[in-house]
């Protein structure tokens, strides 16, 4: 009886072993073939999502740090600059849009001139200042 039980255990072990080998081979091949798209996903979807979240977080922090008076001024300036950029004579002509499109550069400049730059304008101004400071440190002549 004990000899029959031992034979059954050996038989079960022998039957499981080849299927484990096949599973390991199939898993290895699928990982190798799927590995190409993982880098595409990481560099495309994940990085874009991460950049959007980071920009949104910094933008919210920029606008939330303003005083109530500055927020009120921003609302007034936003209404004025939006109206100015939407006027038919100020719209940008682009193919496929017979009435033109919103003049974003005019809106940005209007907000800057009125003392309430948008976060996008503020961040580009700060990047330009950092770049100029680095160039000055390297010995290049950059006007202040």
């Amino acid at each position: 009886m004990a000899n029959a039980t031992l034979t059954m255990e050996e038989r079960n072990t022998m039957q499981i072993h080849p299927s484990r080998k096949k599973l390991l081979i199939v898993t290895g091949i699928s990982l190798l073939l799927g590995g190409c798209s993982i880098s595409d996903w990481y560099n495309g979807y994940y990085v874009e999502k991460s950049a959007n979240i980071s920009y949104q977080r910094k933008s919210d922090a920029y606008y939330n740090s303003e005083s109530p008076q500055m927020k009120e001024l921003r609302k007034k300036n936003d209404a004025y600059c939006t109206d100015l950029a939407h006027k038919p004579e100020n719209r940008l002509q682009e193919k496929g849009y017979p009435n033109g499109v919103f003049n974003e550069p005019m809106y940005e400049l209007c907000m800057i001139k009125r003392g309430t730059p948008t976060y996008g304008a503020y961040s580009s101004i700060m990047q330009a200042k950092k770049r100029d400071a680095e160039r000055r440190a390297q010995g290049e002549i950059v006007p202040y």
Side-chain angles (χ1 to χ4, degrees), residues 74-127:
R74 180 174 296 281
K75 284 182 187 178
K76 290 178 184 176
N77 289 346
D78 182 55
Y80 174 78
C81 293
T82 301
D83 183 48
L84 183 67
H86 269 297
K87 287 186 177 180
E89 62 270 15
N90 293 334
R91 291 184 179 181
L92 297 175
Q93 298 301 318
E94 288 190 15
K95 188 176 180 181
Y97 297 94
N99 296 330
V101 294
F102 182 74
N103 194 338
E104 183 72 27
M106 180 180 274
Y107 174 80
E108 293 282 339
L109 285 174
C110 176
M111 291 294 281
I112 291 170
K113 287 179 182 177
R114 296 177 71 84
T116 53
T118 60
Y119 176 71
Y122 168 77
S123 63
S124 66
I125 291 169
M126 295 310 292
Q127 285 178 345

Side-chain angles (χ1 to χ4, degrees), residues 25-123:
I25 290 171
V26 169
T27 305
I29 290 172
S30 65
L31 285 174
L32 287 174
L33 294 176
C36 300
S37 64
I38 289 173
S39 65
D40 295 340
W41 174 82
Y42 183 81
N43 289 334
Y45 173 77
Y46 176 75
V47 172
E48 183 177 329
K49 181 181 173 186
S50 175
N52 286 339
I53 290 171
S54 173
Y55 181 85
Q56 190 64 40
R57 190 178 307 127
K58 290 177 184 177
S59 174
D60 289 345
Y62 175 75
Y63 290 121
N64 291 336
S65 67
E66 292 181 338
S67 66
Q69 295 85 6
M70 191 70 156
K71 288 181 182 181
E72 189 63 34
L73 179 62
R74 180 174 296 281
K75 284 182 187 178
K76 290 178 184 176
N77 289 346
D78 182 55
Y80 174 78
C81 293
T82 301
D83 183 48
L84 183 67
H86 269 297
K87 287 186 177 180
E89 62 270 15
N90 293 334
R91 291 184 179 181
L92 297 175
Q93 298 301 318
E94 288 190 15
K95 188 176 180 181
Y97 297 94
N99 296 330
V101 294
F102 182 74
N103 194 338
E104 183 72 27
M106 180 180 274
Y107 174 80
E108 293 282 339
L109 285 174
C110 176
M111 291 294 281
I112 291 170
K113 287 179 182 177
R114 296 177 71 84
T116 53
T118 60
Y119 176 71
Y122 168 77
S123 63

Side-chain angles (χ1 to χ4, degrees), residues 4-18:
T5 307
L6 183 61
T7 307
M8 290 289 245
E9 289 176 4
E10 287 175 2
R11 206 176 281 157
N12 288 342
T13 313
M14 295 301 281
Q15 289 173 352
I16 293 172
H17 186 67

